[in-house]
Amino acid sequence: MSSAPTPTTTSPDALGPLPEWNLGDLYSGMDSAAFAADLARAQADCAAFAARWRGKLDGAARGADAATALTEAVRAFEAIEDLLGRLMSYAGLVYSGDTTDPARAKFYGDTQEKLTTMSSELLFFTLELNRIDDAVIDAAMSRAPLAHYRPWIEDVRKEKPHQLDDEIERLFHEKSVTGRVAWNRLFDETIASLRFDIEGEKQPIEPTLNLLQDANETRRKAAADALAATFRSNLRTFTLITNTLAKDKDISDRWRKFQDIADSRHLSNRIEREVVDALVSAVQSAYPRLSHRYYALKAKWFGKETLNHWDRNAPLPKVEQRTISWTEARATVLDAYASFSPRMADIA
């Protein structure tokens, strides 16, 4: 994806207008004919895939040429997933560019709803794949061309203990648009619309958070106070969002028989709970000799008994500060990419 520096309409900080994403490598715009055509193709492909494969995977896995038959199905599924991912990535990036723009929000919401409906036709695939007997699927994966997809199939089958009946999975999937996805979107749009009063000037959240790293303590404290005041005035909304999402997760975890609140995330990350617990324990045990010691030293450097919360991210005193321009920052990142992958640098 290219990064042509199209100026924004507002300047978020003293650096002046920053570049916007150039999404032309995906689609030319929200009203793009190519986007509409791909959306229609995705709908047709999902319906055709379901008609071709629903209820037939187990039979295909037990056929004379199981590896070839299942590979045909997996490749078709992969192509559709790529197309759906392209469409949703574009809609998501357009929306992320300005979550306060009603036109972008509608485009994102409409696309999300359509893709959720379409992808409901694909839910059966991984569910049926996981219902194939272990010995049968292992035999098929041991032969080309399906062996190429073995890592992906084995990854999918890790979800098997937690999958539900097809109709319940479909219900969970379709209601996600009006459930957790909607609450997450409400949070994002609420945060983006908030304005924080900094010395009489209304600022969005990003430059306000940036002020917590300002060399001037007065500015840091003003930003911290503004954040606290604005968040406090929206406390009921944020409490409702948090509690609703927590209950939604509790319901999902109980139905899927997860034992611990973090187990679904561990499964998603493909990492064992014990590994994460060991990491957490190691970090917590290091608090006194690392973070506690650092903050005590930082308070001393600032000439204070204890460190104020608005000083946590402050630059160290008597350390020269300078502004890094966009051009310099871009060159630093691209040089870093080029040092281990010139091709990655060219893409970036």
Side-chain angles (χ1 to χ4, degrees), residues 243-287:
N243 288 343
T244 302
L245 285 171
K247 187 59 181 177
D248 182 89
K249 175 170 170 45
D250 173 63
I251 293 170
S252 177
D253 283 355
R254 281 191 288 106
W255 275 81
R256 296 191 182 281
K257 295 180 172 58
F258 287 112
Q259 300 302 311
D260 183 81
I261 190 173
D263 280 350
S264 62
R265 176 55 57 192
H266 298 333
L267 178 61
S268 177
N269 291 333
R270 299 302 188 250
I271 191 167
E272 295 78 12
R273 185 199 302 178
E274 294 76 13
V275 174
V276 177
D277 288 347
L279 174 62
V280 171
S281 177
V283 171
Q284 289 178 338
S285 66
Y287 282 168

Side-chain angles (χ1 to χ4, degrees), residues 120-175:
S120 294
E121 296 292 339
L122 306 178
L123 282 178
F124 78 91
F125 185 66
T126 54
L127 298 176
E128 287 191 24
L129 201 62
N130 282 346
R131 283 197 283 267
I132 298 173
D133 182 81
D134 289 344
V136 173
I137 193 69
D138 284 343
M141 290 191 297
S142 68
R143 301 191 300 274
L146 190 62
H148 174 76
Y149 290 99
R150 185 182 193 113
W152 177 78
I153 295 173
E154 289 178 341
D155 203 46
V156 167
R157 288 176 76 83
K158 288 183 172 67
E159 305 278 352
K160 184 176 180 178
H162 307 286
Q163 72 182 35
L164 306 171
D165 292 339
D166 290 25
E167 289 304 306
I168 299 177
E169 289 287 359
R170 189 180 184 105
L171 176 64
F172 270 49
H173 182 69
E174 292 186 3
K175 281 186 67 65

Side-chain angles (χ1 to χ4, degrees), residues 77-130:
F77 181 79
E78 180 182 29
I80 296 172
E81 285 282 287
D82 281 350
L83 179 57
L84 295 177
R86 179 186 180 89
L87 290 162
M88 199 64 238
S89 292
Y90 178 73
L93 290 170
V94 166
Y95 172 66
S96 297
D98 185 357
T99 56
T100 63
D101 179 12
R104 296 187 188 212
K106 184 179 186 306
F107 174 72
Y108 174 73
D110 289 348
T111 302
Q112 189 175 55
E113 182 179 355
K114 290 173 183 175
L115 294 187
T116 299
T117 301
M118 292 177 200
S119 58
S120 294
E121 296 292 339
L122 306 178
L123 282 178
F124 78 91
F125 185 66
T126 54
L127 298 176
E128 287 191 24
L129 201 62
N130 282 346

Side-chain angles (χ1 to χ4, degrees), residues 196 198 207-209 211-212 218-228:
F196 303 85
I198 311 292
T208 305
L209 290 173
L211 284 174
L212 296 177
T218 301
R219 297 275 285 170
R220 292 197 304 273
K221 185 178 185 304
D225 290 345
L227 288 165

Side-chain angles (χ1 to χ4, degrees), residues 215-216 220 298 300-303 314-322:
N216 186 315
R220 292 197 304 273
K298 193 169 187 180
K300 183 178 180 181
W301 291 330
F302 278 92
L316 296 179
K318 300 180 181 179
V319 174
E320 182 182 353
Q321 303 293 317
R322 71 182 183 89

Side-chain angles (χ1 to χ4, degrees), residues 186-200:
L186 174 61
F187 175 83
D188 290 340
E189 293 186 4
T190 301
I191 284 288
S193 67
L194 295 180
R195 292 297 178 266
F196 303 85
D197 190 345
I198 311 292
E199 299 174 350

